[in-house]
Amino acid sequence: MSMKLPTLRAAQAMMLLTVTAAPAFADSGGFAIVIPGRPGVPIIVNGRDISYSVVEGDWGLERGVHRQPTFYGSRPVRLPEVGHYYPGSKQLPGYGRLEIEPPANRPLPKPAESFRQSWEVESRPPPLPPLPMSPPPVIIAPPFDEGGERLPNDRGPRG
């Protein structure tokens, strides 16, 4: 029985290693089929439409390697030609608004009628309660009795 115990522990360790490493090996370097999230909207990677194509090689932000995946069944995307404007060529660009200067002697439109509108906003504080005409007198009694002795409830100066 003493000979079986190391063999059993080795078998258990190998089984634990296999079970924990299987998910990592299953997802490395496999292939995936790209299906767009919205029909009619292509998925473009490196100038190629890879919608409904096969991608080989695991890639993304979670991988630490920089390698180019392989796409099977992708097609190039034809983008419209966009002209470039170089001011040194003295040639107007082929896009944008076409500015036409009207002749000086053209009939002008009728001027618009005058219009004025305004708004005002102000914030008023709430009214204060009225003050009494004769406020009550404030009396501060000295802490001594008539004989000059300190009163028993007086604790003396603080501070």
Side-chain angles (χ1 to χ4, degrees), residues 15-39:
M15 180 61 102
L16 180 66
L17 180 66
T18 304
V19 168
T20 56
F25 286 120
D27 195 30
S28 62
F31 68 92
I33 298 174
V34 179
I35 298 175
R38 183 179 294 177

Side-chain angles (χ1 to χ4, degrees), residues 6-69:
T7 309
L8 182 62
R9 285 194 181 173
Q12 287 175 344
M14 188 59 89
M15 180 61 102
L16 180 66
L17 180 66
T18 304
V19 168
T20 56
F25 286 120
D27 195 30
S28 62
F31 68 92
I33 298 174
V34 179
I35 298 175
R38 183 179 294 177
V41 178
I43 298 174
I44 298 173
V45 174
N46 296 338
R48 300 188 67 83
D49 181 11
I50 62 167
S51 300
Y52 305 104
S53 63
V54 176
V55 179
E56 183 183 49
D58 194 48
W59 61 290
L61 295 176
E62 76 273 8
R63 300 293 291 191
V65 295
H66 300 285
R67 64 178 183 176
Q68 184 65 32

Side-chain angles (χ1 to χ4, degrees), residues 30-145:
F31 68 92
I33 298 174
V34 179
I35 298 175
R38 183 179 294 177
V41 178
I43 298 174
I44 298 173
V45 174
N46 296 338
R48 300 188 67 83
D49 181 11
I50 62 167
S51 300
Y52 305 104
S53 63
V54 176
V55 179
E56 183 183 49
D58 194 48
W59 61 290
L61 295 176
E62 76 273 8
R63 300 293 291 191
V65 295
H66 300 285
R67 64 178 183 176
Q68 184 65 32
T70 306
F71 304 109
Y72 297 104
S74 64
R75 54 195 169 276
V77 177
R78 302 279 182 212
L79 298 175
E81 291 293 326
V82 179
H84 299 284
Y85 175 59
Y86 299 103
S89 67
K90 306 281 189 214
Q91 210 172 18
L92 291 176
Y95 56 90
R97 202 166 94 181
L98 180 61
E99 297 287 340
I100 299 174
E101 293 292 331
N105 58 0
R106 72 183 191 283
L108 296 175
K110 187 173 82 172
E113 62 185 56
S114 65
F115 178 78
R116 179 183 163 96
Q117 190 172 9
S118 65
W119 291 269
E120 290 184 17
V121 176
E122 64 181 55
S123 176
R124 295 183 186 160
L128 298 173
L131 294 175
M133 293 304 288
S134 58
V138 178
I139 299 173
I140 300 175
F144 302 103
D145 63 359

